[in-house]
Amino acid sequence: MRRLLSLAFAAILLSLSLQAQRATGVSAAATARITVSGFVTDAGSGERMIDATVYERASFTGTTTNNYGFYSLPLNPGKAEIIASYLGYDADTAEVWLTRDTVINFSLTMSSSEIAAVTVTASGRRAKIESTQMSMIDIPVDKFIKLPVIFGEADVLKVIQLLPGVQSGTEGSTGIYVRGGGPDQNLFLLDGVPVYNANHLFGFMSVFNPDAVKSVQLYKGGFPARFGERLSSVVDIRMKEGNEKEFSGNVAVGLISSKFSLEGPIIKDRTSFVISGRRTYYDILARPFIMRYNQGQEDKTTGGYYFYDLNAKVNHKFSEKSRLYLSSYFGRDRAYTRNTYRPNYEGDDDIRMEYKDSYGLGWGNMITALRWNYLITNKLFSNTTLTYSKYDFDVTIESSVEELNSKARAVDYFKYFSGIEDVGARTDFDYYLSPKHSVKFGTGYTFHYFKPGVTTFRFDSGIMGDTGLDTVIGDMKVRANEFIMYAEDNIELAPKLKMNAGVRLSLFNVQDTSYFVFQPRISLRYLAGEDLSFKLSYSKMAQFVHLLTTSAISLPTDLWLPVTRRYEPPVSHQVAAGTGFLIPGNLEVTLEAFYKTMDNLIEYKEGAFFG
C-alpha cells in the first residue's frame, strides 16, 4: 500500500510539472532565452549575500540568490535593466544589451538613508508573500545581537524562543519545543553540519557565538526536501566568511564572559578569514570567595565552571566559478571541584594522612566542514561538502588517601564517557531552467559512530596491600550508515499558482537492519492579490537518532542513540495552511494553522539499558 501511495504521489508531481512546463515554457525554436548569472556580494566585506533579490525592471522577472550568493536569471534578448537589492542595502542597477549569456556580479552598499532602507524592506517582504515557502522565519542577525537576554549576552536560541510556534523548556534554558515536538526533534545546522549539543551553561546559553553568525533561518513546517533527519524543526545557521577587503575586529568584556573577533584578507579579493572566540570566567570570579571560605578550615576546597568556544573560517576564490571554504567550530564546558584534607594528629608523628576528592564534568562539540562551490554552467550550480561532527561528555570522580611518610596511596576512580561521531559527504545542485522554474537535487552519505556509555572503575590500594580492581563496563560501540537522495521542483503552474514539490529518500542501516523511508513534500501558493497570498503545505519527516533524556532540563549527560532492530524510526506528518499579507506601514502579517501527527515515538524508562 505504501509503495502504491509513493508511486501515485510521484506520478502526480511529474504530471503537474509537465503541465506547468507546457503552460509556462516557451519553445526554444520560438525564442532564444539569454541567461544572466552571477553573484551578489557585500561591497564592504566581499561576503556573498543569501536571498538577495535580482530582477529585470521592465518584465519584473526576478529570482533570489542561493545560500552562496549565486543567481541565474533567463531573459529575452535586447535591452535590460537588472536590479539587485537586499534588506538594509542600497539597490544596485546594471543596464545591458543582451545578445548572449552574460555574467553580472553585484556589490551592494549598506543603506545610508532610512528611506532607502524602508524601500528595500517592503520589497523583501513582498518576496516572502510571493514565495511558496511557509512556516519559515529569517532572523536578522543585526537585530538579535542588540537584544541582551541573560547577563547582557545576546543569544540566538533565546531569540528563537520568542517566535510564534516555539516554546521554551525550563525557565532560562535554551531548549526549544516546536509545534508540539521535543528538544531532540530539532536539527541544528552550522554551515550545513549537524550540532548535537547546542547548549552551554547547562542550557542557559547556546553554543552559537553571535559574532561568528551570518544568517539564521528557522523552519517549523513546509520543509524543503533538502532538509531531513528531525521531526519538528530545522535551524539553519551560516557562519561569516571573512572580510576580503580590509582587516577589522572587536574585543568585548561582559559580566560573565569576554570575546573577540578578527577578520580580514589573506590575499585581497581572493582569500579571507574570520576567527572569533569567547570564554566565561565564573571560575575566576569565584576564587576570592572560595579563598575566603578556606581561611581557618582544615580542608581546602576549590572549584569552578567555565566554557569556551572558537569559530574559524577560511575561504579562497580560485576563479569566479570556483571557491573553497574550510570552517570549524570547537567548544567545551567544564565544571569541577577539588577538596584536600590533612587531619592534625597531635602527639602522633608517625601518622600523617592526606585525603583528596575531585569531581569533573565536561562536554563539548567539534565540527568541521570543507566545502567546494563550482559553477558548472550559468544555469547549474554545485556544492560539494565533506563534514565531521563530534559530541562527547565525561564525568570523572576520584578519591585518594595517601600516607605522607611512606607515600603509600589508595585510589578510588570512576569515569563515565559517552559520545557520537559523524563523518559525511554530500553534493547539492541548483538548476535554473527559467525564472518560473528551478530544481534542487542532491545526495549524501553519513557514517555514524555511537558510544552510548562507557563506565570505568578503578580501585588501587597501596595502603592495604596489593589488592586492586580495574574494569570497564558498557564499552559498546554502535555503527550506522545513512544514505539520502532528494529532489525538489519549484515551478509556477499558473500566473497566480506556484508549487514547490519534492521527495526525500532515506536509507538507514544499523545492527544489520535497514530502514527505507519515502518522504514526500509539497507546498502551494496562490497569489490572491499584490500583497495577499494563501499557502498550503504537507511534509513527512523521519528521524533515525534520538535523545535519551531523564529530566526536563537539557543536561550534557543525555545520550544520543540510533534506532535499533526492534523499533522503526519515528515519523511525523504535518499539514499547514496559512495566509500572508502586507498592511499599511510596511508590516507583514502571517496567520497559520497546522495539524501534526508523530508515530513510533520512543520513551525510555528510568534505568533502562540500550541494546
Side-chain angles (χ1 to χ4, degrees):
M1 184 64 181
R2 289 184 178 179
R3 289 185 177 180
L4 290 175
L5 290 174
S6 300
L7 291 173
F9 185 84
I12 291 172
L13 296 185
L14 179 60
S15 176
L16 288 172
S17 296
L18 291 175
Q19 291 179 21
Q21 290 183 48
R22 287 196 295 266
T24 62
V26 179
S27 66
T31 304
R33 304 279 278 183
I34 291 175
T35 300
V36 178
S37 61
F39 294 89
V40 180
T41 60
D42 184 313
S45 66
E47 288 211 20
R48 295 180 174 181
M49 306 180 76
I50 302 172
D51 287 334
T53 301
V54 182
Y55 67 96
E56 200 279 318
R57 182 185 294 275
S59 62
F60 210 71
T61 300
T63 186
T64 58
T65 58
N66 65 7
N67 285 335
Y68 310 102
F70 175 75
Y71 77 93
S72 180
L73 185 63
L75 297 171
N76 291 325
K79 184 179 179 180
E81 184 179 358
I82 303 171
I83 301 172
S85 64
Y86 190 78
L87 176 65
Y89 286 74
D90 291 325
D92 189 14
T93 302
E95 294 185 3
V96 293
W97 186 270
L98 299 176
T99 58
R100 60 180 180 178
D101 291 348
T102 304
V103 175
I104 301 177
N105 295 322
F106 292 95
S107 294
L108 304 186
T109 305
M110 191 168 293
S111 298
S112 57
S113 66
E114 294 184 3
I115 295 177
V118 170
T119 302
V120 175
T121 300
S123 174
R125 286 174 176 162
R126 185 166 289 111
K128 290 185 178 180
I129 298 295
E130 296 177 355
S131 171
T132 57
Q133 181 63 56
M134 65 182 304
S135 306
M136 189 273 282
I137 300 176
D138 277 302
I139 303 173
V141 176
D142 59 336
K143 298 296 188 295
F144 82 71
I145 60 176
K146 298 177 182 178
L147 296 174
V149 180
I150 180 171
F151 300 119
E153 297 288 331
D155 191 88
V156 175
L157 296 190
K158 286 293 185 181
V159 175
I160 290 178
Q161 289 178 349
L162 303 175
L163 300 177
V166 181
Q167 291 183 319
S168 61
T170 306
E171 183 67 27
S173 71
T174 57
I176 61 174
Y177 297 77
V178 180
R179 291 188 171 179
D184 67 330
Q185 296 174 3
N186 309 302
L187 177 63
F188 294 98
L189 295 174
L190 184 62
D191 270 358
V193 186
V195 179
Y196 284 99
N197 182 66
N199 298 324
H200 280 312
L201 191 58
F202 302 97
F204 283 87
M205 295 179 67
S206 75
V207 301
F208 307 112
N209 185 349
D211 289 342
V213 173
K214 176 182 179 180
S215 67
V216 182
Q217 292 180 324
L218 169 66
Y219 294 83
K220 300 176 291 182
F223 300 101
R226 59 187 179 274
F227 293 125
E229 284 81 54
R230 298 294 186 273
L231 299 185
S232 294
S233 77
V234 176
V235 181
D236 188 15
I237 300 175
R238 300 281 170 170
M239 289 174 55
K240 292 180 179 178
E241 298 174 1
N243 195 318
E244 294 182 350
K245 308 294 183 181
E246 59 185 9
F247 287 94
S248 63
N250 65 76
V251 176
V253 179
L255 293 175
I256 60 173
S257 69
S258 293
K259 54 187 178 180
F260 77 94
S261 179
L262 178 66
E263 59 180 322
I266 298 175
I267 302 175
K268 191 172 182 179
D269 295 327
R270 183 170 290 271
T271 308
S272 65
F273 77 95
V274 59
I275 182 171
S276 61
R278 60 178 175 173
R279 188 195 190 277
T280 58
Y281 30 75
Y282 304 103
D283 53 333
I284 299 175
L285 295 175
R287 284 178 186 174
F289 300 97
I290 295 175
M291 292 175 63
R292 184 173 181 179
Y293 169 81
N294 286 332
Q295 291 179 359
Q297 301 287 333
E298 288 189 357
D299 58 331
K300 305 300 180 182
T301 301
T302 185
Y305 165 82
Y306 64 91
F307 75 75
Y308 62 89
D309 48 33
L310 181 70
N311 296 79
K313 191 171 187 177
V314 177
N315 79 88
H316 176 72
K317 182 170 67 175
F318 296 103
S319 67
E320 291 299 330
K321 291 187 174 184
S322 179
R323 184 181 287 251
L324 188 70
Y325 301 84
L326 176 63
S327 58
S328 293
Y329 165 84
F330 180 75
R332 197 151 192 89
D333 292 62
R334 197 72 191 172
Y336 63 93
T337 61
R338 302 187 188 96
N339 180 270
T340 303
Y341 174 54
R342 289 187 179 184
N344 184 14
Y345 295 96
E346 296 183 2
D348 192 347
D349 295 334
D350 294 332
I351 301 177
R352 296 179 61 237
M353 307 293 289
E354 182 179 70
Y355 300 86
K356 291 184 178 180
D357 297 295
S358 64
Y359 169 82
L361 174 65
W363 68 95
N365 296 284
M366 181 185 296
I367 295 169
T368 299
L370 179 64
R371 187 170 72 246
W372 178 46
N373 292 168
Y374 186 71
L375 185 59
I376 300 173
T377 70
N378 53 14
K379 292 185 178 182
L380 183 59
F381 180 90
S382 69
N383 179 60
T384 302
T385 310
L386 302 178
T387 63
Y388 175 78
S389 179
K390 179 183 179 182
Y391 168 67
D392 66 81
F393 72 85
D394 62 85
V395 180
T396 304
I397 302 174
E398 182 175 346
S399 296
S400 66
V401 180
E402 182 178 358
E403 207 288 308
L404 298 178
N405 292 328
S406 64
K407 301 298 181 180
R409 192 166 182 259
V411 179
D412 292 331
Y413 177 83
F414 167 87
K415 182 175 182 179
Y416 182 81
F417 175 88
S418 182
I420 178 174
E421 196 169 358
D422 288 353
V423 179
R426 178 177 176 132
T427 300
D428 303 276
F429 298 91
D430 293 357
Y431 185 41
Y432 302 87
L433 287 84
S434 74
K436 300 178 181 180
H437 191 188
S438 62
V439 176
K440 295 178 184 287
F441 58 97
T443 185
Y445 165 76
T446 303
F447 173 74
H448 301 279
Y449 183 49
F450 299 86
K451 298 178 182 178
V454 181
T455 304
T456 302
F457 294 98
R458 186 181 305 132
F459 173 72
D460 181 15
S461 177
I463 296 178
M464 300 176 62
D466 294 330
T467 60
L469 174 68
D470 191 346
T471 186
V472 177
I473 300 174
D475 189 10
M476 178 178 62
K477 300 176 178 63
V478 181
R479 297 170 177 83
N481 299 280
E482 183 176 1
F483 302 86
I484 67 102
M485 294 180 64
Y486 76 90
E488 58 183 81
D489 190 354
N490 195 42
I491 188 168
E492 187 175 293
L493 301 174
K496 294 186 177 182
L497 183 62
K498 196 172 184 179
M499 175 186 73
N500 184 297
V503 63
R504 184 182 183 89
L505 306 176
S506 297
L507 176 64
F508 193 85
N509 178 268
V510 63
Q511 296 180 335
D512 298 323
T513 303
S514 295
Y515 295 103
F516 176 79
V517 184
F518 177 85
Q519 304 165 65
R521 319 281 175 82
I522 186 168
S523 297
L524 294 169
R525 181 232 67 196
Y526 178 74
L527 195 61
E530 184 179 353
D531 297 331
L532 173 65
S533 66
F534 296 95
K535 299 182 182 182
L536 179 68
S537 70
Y538 164 77
S539 58
K540 177 183 177 181
M541 303 284 280
Q543 182 167 334
F544 300 100
V545 297
H546 48 270
L547 191 64
L548 170 58
T549 181
T550 57
S551 70
I553 302 176
S554 179
L555 294 175
T557 51
D558 296 341
L559 303 178
W560 282 101
L561 300 172
V563 295
T564 68
R565 64 171 68 94
R566 299 179 183 178
Y567 303 102
E568 295 184 0
V571 173
S572 71
H573 300 267
Q574 183 178 162
V575 178
T579 181
F581 53 92
L582 298 179
I583 61 176
N586 292 321
L587 297 177
E588 177 192 0
V589 178
T590 59
L591 300 174
E592 290 187 15
F594 71 92
Y595 177 77
K596 180 179 178 181
T597 64
M598 292 183 285
D599 303 314
N600 304 328
L601 296 182
I602 301 173
E603 183 176 353
Y604 283 83
K605 296 180 180 179
E606 292 288 341
F609 175 74
F610 171 78

